[in-house]
Amino acid sequence: MKPRRSVLAVPGSNPKMIAKAKTLPVDEVFLDLEDAVAPGAKAAARANIVAALNEPGWGSQLRVVRVNDWSTEWTFADVISVVEGAGSWLDAILLPKVTDAGQVRALDLLLTQVEKVSGLEVGRIGIEPQLENALGLRNIDEIATASPRVQTLVFGPADFMASINMRTLVVGEQPEGYDVGDAYHHILMTILLAARAHGLQAIDGPYLQVRDVDGFRRAAARTAALGFDGKWVLHPDQVDACNEIFSPRQADYDRAELILETYAFHTSEAGGARGAVMLGDEMIDEASAKMAQVVADKGRAAGMTRTDA
Ligand code: GLV
Ligand code: MG
């Protein structure tokens, strides 16, 4: 799967922001038809998005559209218009406020029909369910496995906090009065565990204080440390920090490749077929090699090369 370290949110109603997005070095751009677009602007935004996806000038970013959730009257028309109009350019549909597996299956069925009538390869367009409420989190395993199209599990912190009545207005910061830990830990770990259990990417949502790049760095570094694959960015200033934070550090990447190389040699016949070996002062075994593989895979996917070899 292609990396999704940085996922840029762009309102579908704003052609200038879409034009700018095409030039930014993010791993994914999602064009929004949901909460960043006013109800009266949804129809025009669909047309903007179709036009923008068909225009040249995109980089290697994954191109995704966030449709409205199934409780609205807009979802089916969102899907039909963007897939009919620009399906061959579309990598995935981001489905917000998912509550259960049925909503993912409904989108899968609709996508299949539109792909067929449009002469597109059936099943190529992925689904990114967004977890934004208690019910969705409770049903996360069923959601994750509802369709082979599911590629990622995405956290929606603002809607999530509202849905559980968490007493804060600042996304990414702890609710005042809760001073015994991280109020988001359970939610983040539930998403991460489901992603790992089902072979999907885990993506953290937005940090809304766009002028506070240090705050963004702190929030991103926390979920990167847990094991998340990427995070939303809302502003060009957040992009470089995000790519850096969700890529391995160079020294870690070099070390991981060295561990893999050393372990592969010593476990081979030529190297003596040993299970545990010393690398400097550290003993490495099969489990160390697995940890190293995670870091090496992320680095390779991000295009990193060794500086120690
Ligand atoms: C994003 O959609 C959020 O609700 O945080
Ligand atoms: Mg939301």
Side-chain angles (χ1 to χ4, degrees):
M1 221 181 293
K2 283 181 73 178
R4 284 179 166 93
R5 295 164 305 171
S6 49
V7 173
L8 179 68
V10 185
S13 50
N14 191 325
K16 251 178 78 178
M17 286 176 81
I18 299 178
K20 173 81 184 168
K22 287 159 73 173
T23 68
L24 293 173
V26 291
D27 291 332
E28 174 183 315
V29 172
F30 84 80
L31 305 173
D32 198 12
L33 285 169
E34 202 221 13
D35 285 357
V37 178
K42 305 259 187 210
R46 288 179 194 138
N48 277 339
I49 287 176
V50 167
L53 287 172
N54 280 298
E55 275 162 14
W58 288 89
S60 59
Q61 308 99 332
L62 291 166
R63 290 173 235 176
V64 174
V65 171
R66 180 165 73 167
V67 297
N68 288 280
D69 80 88
W70 279 119
S71 73
T72 69
E73 66 270 42
W74 297 304
T75 322
F76 80 101
D78 289 345
V79 174
I80 293 169
S81 54
V82 299
V83 178
E84 267 186 0
S88 54
W89 304 112
L90 202 60
D91 292 296
I93 296 282
L94 175 53
L95 184 65
K97 301 183 179 67
V98 173
T99 55
D100 53 57
Q103 297 193 332
V104 176
R105 268 188 230 115
L107 177 57
D108 180 318
L109 292 171
L110 181 56
L111 277 170
T112 299
Q113 291 200 347
V114 187
E115 284 168 339
K116 282 182 182 165
V117 294
S118 307
L120 298 166
E121 179 189 336
V122 172
R124 193 192 56 81
I125 297 173
I127 297 178
E128 302 188 358
Q130 195 179 7
L131 285 307
E132 308 200 76
N133 50 57
L135 197 52
L137 202 70
R138 283 297 174 97
N139 291 328
I140 194 163
D141 288 301
E142 290 80 4
I143 288 168
T145 54
S147 159
R149 295 180 191 263
V150 175
Q151 299 175 345
T152 69
L153 296 172
V154 183
F155 182 35
D159 276 300
F160 206 105
M161 287 155 57
S163 103
I164 61 171
N165 295 1
M166 195 183 275
R167 238 170 36 188
T168 175
L169 291 171
V170 188
V171 167
E173 301 302 337
Q174 300 298 316
E176 207 183 315
Y178 187 75
D179 58 2
V180 291
D182 175 5
Y184 305 99
H185 186 73
H186 172 78
I187 304 168
L188 290 169
M189 281 308 265
T190 302
I191 293 172
L192 181 62
L193 289 174
R196 293 295 166 260
H198 304 297
L200 308 172
Q201 290 174 329
I203 309 299
D204 189 15
Y207 184 77
L208 303 179
Q209 316 287 316
V210 291
R211 304 211 185 288
D212 182 1
V213 178
D214 288 339
F216 173 86
R217 281 186 165 277
R218 276 195 304 278
R222 286 189 203 117
T223 46
L226 279 183
F228 270 67
D229 298 287
K231 181 173 176 63
W232 284 13
V233 290
L234 304 178
H235 191 275
D237 288 350
Q238 297 177 333
V239 172
D240 288 346
C242 197
N243 285 335
E244 177 200 317
I245 289 167
F246 285 94
S247 302
R249 281 173 299 216
Q250 184 68 49
D252 291 344
Y253 175 72
D254 289 345
R255 175 89 188 157
E257 293 285 13
L258 182 64
I259 289 173
L260 291 177
E261 188 181 275
T262 308
Y263 189 66
F265 173 71
H266 287 288
T267 50
S268 70
E269 287 299 324
R274 285 182 290 150
V277 293
M278 292 302 287
L279 176 60
D281 289 337
E282 191 185 351
M283 197 199 75
I284 58 171
D285 65 4
E286 181 66 25
S288 336
K290 279 189 187 136
M291 287 164 64
Q293 192 72 53
V294 171
V295 175
D297 284 347
K298 283 198 176 190
R300 290 175 200 171
M304 293 175 78
T305 50
R306 282 176 78 167
T307 56
D308 66 328

